[in-house]
Amino acid sequence: MTSETHAVPGIDYNRAFAQAIDRLHAEGRYRVFIDILRNKGMFPNARCFAGHNGPKPITVWCSNDYLAMGQHPKVIAAMEEALHDVGAGSGGTRNIGGTTHYHIDLETELADLHEKQGALLFTSGYVSNEATLSTLAKILPGCIIFSDELNHASMIAGIRNSGCEKRVFRHNDVEHLEALLAAEDPAVPKLIAFESVYSMDGDIAPIHAICDLADKYNALTYLDEVHAVGMYGPRGGGISERDDAARRLTIIEGTLGKAFGVMGGYIAADKQIIDVIRSYAPGFIFTTSLSPVLVSGALASVRHLKSSSAERDGQQAAAAKLKAMMRDAGLPVMDSTTHIVPLMVGDPVKAKRISDILLAEYGVYVQPINFPTVPRGTERLRFTPGPAHDEAMMTELVEALVEIWDRMELKLAA
């Protein structure tokens, strides 16, 4: 008796993967990683290895290391000291061997920065948002989360993973938020989740007005300060410190990977909330803790920016200067009250083309920002000038942009 081999019909997996990538190319939003190395102590100068033989000098205009603290001598020295003191990694999760004295010191500094009883470190800002929001709502049966429509993807993921009901309010619209709050049962737990600085438009939330509503409707508040910590307030505590609102907020979340120049995320809150998240959040419990080398660098950065405003002042001056120069040149710079300088293009293919020309011909590196980071039709270039971007660099950048706008027959303001 012979056996026959029959082909089993099924999905063409490779075709499905190829079609997914082809869709991104067709929509003009396929993302390309730019291969660079930053020059220590010389930021925003870097070397680019993309599209040519050997490194090419470039100027970086899109880094989230807003204050160049990733290059600061105190930060580098602290990381080198920690490396030679304890080695490379933490050795485990926070519960099993991965809580070092560096972690304890940094959490103490962050709690103090935000006027809270405690703080908790995570491996990234994304993880801190997702883990905290998803855990909080599960701890509070029937909780409804009220979320600003422009909240970051990590906040949206945390809300979705919580399994709770959500209500989305129009961006920074306190009247809409109040209407949504008033429509719910007063006895139901409520949490309002929003950001301080919205990084794609560069606008700021009305923190006190939202806290007033939280008080009125007995809601908790969760503020994402990732684009503001280190940048605002006399000690770098963010917009909530600048506006004297930190003590009114239930939880403040931040990052160590932007203005503080290293890596990691955190929350600051009262001790009981910190204990709950530490004890229940899978994203915290089952993750190897941050390397003490990174924690030591972040600790040095936080401590420095608590006492130094020179970096913040320099960055704000650079942002204001670049906005003015772009506006004077007729470039479509968007209104922004913060350090973010968004330049509207409105088309994903054109935004990518402008970015490619800037890098290849002018040695200027800025990434195009496309959907889903921003809504379709609002594609843009997002510049983040820092204290080390001088006027000569800005002049070269603006002249390059004007030439490209003319070459591509894009409209300049009169």
Side-chain angles (χ1 to χ4, degrees), residues 206-226:
I207 298 177
H208 278 293
I210 291 175
C211 286
D212 288 344
L213 292 180
D215 292 343
K216 182 176 180 179
Y217 292 96
N218 193 27
L220 303 178
T221 50
Y222 183 99
L223 178 65
D224 179 317
E225 285 260 45
V226 296

Side-chain angles (χ1 to χ4, degrees), residues 162-176:
S162 74
C164 73
E165 291 190 42
K166 70 174 180 179
R167 306 286 184 265
V168 178
F169 61 93
R170 290 187 293 271
H171 178 53
N172 281 348
D173 188 334
V174 291
E175 291 183 0
H176 187 215

Side-chain angles (χ1 to χ4, degrees), residues 241-315:
E241 183 192 28
R242 186 199 73 175
D243 293 355
D244 194 26
R247 282 169 288 183
R248 301 191 67 188
L249 295 154
T250 311
I251 300 172
I252 296 174
E253 183 267 350
T255 183
L256 304 169
K258 292 184 169 63
F260 291 128
V262 190
M263 180 182 175
Y266 66 88
I267 59 168
D270 68 39
K271 288 184 178 180
Q272 191 168 46
I273 289 176
I274 294 298
D275 203 14
V276 165
I277 302 303
R278 161 187 99 73
S279 301
Y280 282 90
F284 174 82
I285 296 170
F286 299 106
T287 300
T288 298
S289 68
L290 283 169
S291 161
V293 177
L294 295 172
V295 177
S296 180
L299 180 60
S301 183
V302 171
R303 284 174 171 167
H304 175 80
L305 290 175
K306 277 184 174 181
S307 60
S308 173
S309 293
E311 293 82 5
R312 286 187 283 277
D313 294 343
Q315 200 281 336

